[in-house]
Amino acid sequence: MGFISEFKEFAMKGNVMDMAVGVIIGGAFGKIVSSLVDDILMPIIGVITGGLDFSGLKATIGDANITYGMFIQNVVDFLIVAFCIFLMLKGINKLNRKKVEEPAPEAPAGPTQEELLAEIRDLLKNK
């Protein structure tokens, strides 16, 4: 089997194609969530916190600027994104959850091997 045919077989497997679709959808979903965070939630949080913008916070040590505010902003963004994804997955799982079906009544249990052997013995004994 040649290198090209092996690669073609690998690339066309279902798992690889599913993963590729997942990555593409995830990228698009990431843009939606980022827009939600940047354009809707962060302005609301800014109003609640009195217009505090974390990204402008920094400390200067010598000639170096340490922008710890960007780190705080990224942590807040991450928490909001993680919460949004959690809510989305929770909703999807709730939609996909099927009603718990009651188990079907069990079929009446047949005679055990010992009971069958005893019955055969009794039939042979009566003959």
Side-chain angles (χ1 to χ4, degrees):
M1 185 178 249
F3 180 78
I4 303 269
S5 60
E6 284 182 43
F7 178 75
K8 182 179 176 184
E9 181 182 337
F10 166 77
M12 293 301 147
K13 282 186 180 177
N15 294 343
V16 174
M17 298 304 286
D18 291 343
M19 187 174 68
V21 169
V23 168
I24 293 168
I25 298 276
F29 182 71
K31 289 181 182 180
I32 292 170
V33 172
S34 295
S35 177
L36 173 70
V37 169
D38 295 336
D39 302 328
I40 297 173
L41 296 177
M42 285 314 292
I44 294 170
I45 291 173
V47 169
I48 292 171
T49 61
L52 178 62
D53 182 16
F54 294 117
S55 62
L57 300 175
K58 64 181 176 179
T60 304
I61 299 176
D63 292 335
N65 285 327
I66 300 172
T67 55
Y68 66 91
M70 286 303 297
F71 176 74
I72 294 171
Q73 183 70 39
N74 288 331
V75 168
V76 169
D77 289 351
F78 169 77
L79 292 174
I80 293 170
V81 168
F83 184 70
C84 288
I85 291 173
F86 168 75
L87 291 178
M88 293 288 289
L89 289 176
K90 187 173 172 91
I92 290 170
N93 287 340
K94 189 172 185 178
L95 289 175
N96 288 337
R97 189 176 306 146
K98 296 179 181 177
K99 292 182 180 177
V100 177
E101 296 179 12
E102 293 184 28
E106 292 184 21
T112 64
Q113 186 175 2
E114 289 81 15
E115 292 171 339
L116 288 173
L117 289 173
E119 187 178 336
I120 292 171
R121 181 196 64 213
D122 294 340
L123 288 173
L124 289 174
K125 191 186 282 185
N126 292 338
K127 284 188 176 188

